[in-house]
């Protein structure tokens, strides 16, 4: 793991999969890895899939977006929209409005009328493509500004939309300092 973390600082991305039974020490290893990552110049974003989340689209990525833009669960919707908008403006300047309604949709925020047409008319597949494109642009921009560790915990519980989004994001590890780190266990139906 340390080699992959060091590789980020030299601009090299990667993919790590940590698999182990419950109680095997994954949490302890993650805590140490998080400490090491935070001691360097790396951004650490994480999301956790949950056992009841297979019917909740993008659940781990919703956590990641909230973490990324400092959106709290008790923030009012207007406050969440403001934080998302300001964060995107700092990353994308005048291009922020291109991403804003699609990332707001992932966060299940109500999209104001000024942006409504962008998310109202595409069919589900078209909207999904836009979400994938915007998420890819977001993680690419974040990784280009600062090496990025994207931790996806309890991946064995991931919903299908999250799995497809992760697959769409993995090619970024070839061109940007992005480390996709999946933590899972071999048999999610086990004890």
């Amino acid at each position: 793991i340390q080699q992959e973390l060091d590789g980020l600082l030299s601009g090299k991305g990667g993919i790590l999969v940590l698999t182990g039974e419950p109680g095997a020490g994954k949490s302890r290893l993650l805590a140490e890895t998080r400490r090491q990552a935070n001691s360097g110049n790396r951004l650490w974003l994480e999301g956790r899939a949950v056992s009841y989340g297979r019917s909740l689209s993008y659940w781990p990525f919703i956590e990641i977006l909230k973490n990324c833009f400092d959106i709290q669960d008790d923030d009012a919707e207007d406050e969440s929209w403001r934080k998302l908008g300001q964060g995107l403006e700092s990353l994308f300047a005048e291009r922020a409005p291109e991403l804003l309604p699609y990332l707001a949709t992932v966060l299940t925020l109500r999209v104001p009328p000024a942006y409504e047409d962008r998310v109202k008319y595409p069919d589900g597949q078209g909207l999904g493509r836009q979400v994938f494109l915007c998420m890819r642009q977001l993680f690419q921009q974040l990784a280009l500004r600062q090496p990025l560790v994207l931790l996806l915990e309890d991946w064995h519980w991931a919903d299908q939309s999250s799995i497809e989004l992760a697959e769409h994001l993995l090619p970024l590890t070839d061109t940007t300092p992005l480390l996709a780190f999946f933590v899972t266990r071999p048999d999610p139906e086990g004890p």
Side-chain angles (χ1 to χ4, degrees):
I1 295 176
Q2 186 61 49
Q3 182 179 348
E4 296 295 330
L5 290 175
D6 291 343
L8 281 175
L9 296 177
S10 62
K12 182 181 177 228
I15 301 168
L16 281 176
V17 178
L18 177 61
T19 303
E21 297 293 340
K26 295 186 304 291
S27 295
R28 183 181 48 76
L29 181 61
L30 280 177
E32 179 61 23
T33 302
R34 191 178 291 115
R35 187 189 64 72
Q36 290 171 358
N38 289 336
S39 68
N41 185 26
R42 299 171 197 92
L43 177 59
W44 181 282
L45 295 174
E46 60 185 88
R48 177 185 304 269
V50 290
S51 61
Y52 57 85
R54 288 191 173 156
S55 61
L56 303 172
S57 296
Y58 306 116
W59 186 264
F61 289 100
I62 290 170
E63 283 192 336
I64 288 169
L65 287 174
K66 285 180 174 182
N67 186 1
C68 182
F69 295 107
D70 195 32
I71 297 171
Q72 306 301 312
D73 288 336
D74 60 350
D75 282 346
E77 194 161 19
D78 290 345
E79 177 68 4
S80 298
W81 178 269
R82 184 191 64 73
K83 288 179 176 182
L84 178 62
Q86 285 181 342
L88 289 173
E89 281 179 25
S90 73
L91 289 167
F92 294 97
E94 70 278 349
R95 288 192 49 234
E98 296 171 22
L99 288 83
L100 185 56
Y102 301 107
L103 297 181
T105 299
V106 172
L107 290 166
T108 65
L109 296 176
R110 183 182 36 79
V111 177
Y115 295 94
E116 210 170 56
D117 287 351
R118 293 184 185 191
V119 295
K120 187 177 183 179
Y121 296 111
D123 62 10
Q125 212 172 29
L127 184 59
R129 277 193 300 272
Q130 288 300 320
V131 165
F132 279 29
L133 176 66
C134 292
M135 293 289 274
R136 184 181 175 114
Q137 290 176 42
L138 172 64
F139 292 123
Q140 181 177 30
Q141 185 68 8
L142 288 168
L144 291 174
R145 285 184 168 215
Q146 183 177 12
L148 172 62
V149 177
L150 190 62
L151 174 68
L152 296 159
E153 277 196 82
D154 293 330
W155 194 244
H156 48 277
W157 297 122
D159 62 278
Q160 189 60 39
S161 58
S162 293
I163 292 168
E164 291 170 7
L165 177 55
E167 289 172 352
H168 180 75
L169 296 173
L170 288 179
L172 284 175
T173 63
D174 292 334
T175 58
T176 58
L178 168 66
L179 177 61
F181 191 176
F182 299 89
V183 180
T184 186
R185 65 182 201 214
D187 181 14
E189 304 304 323

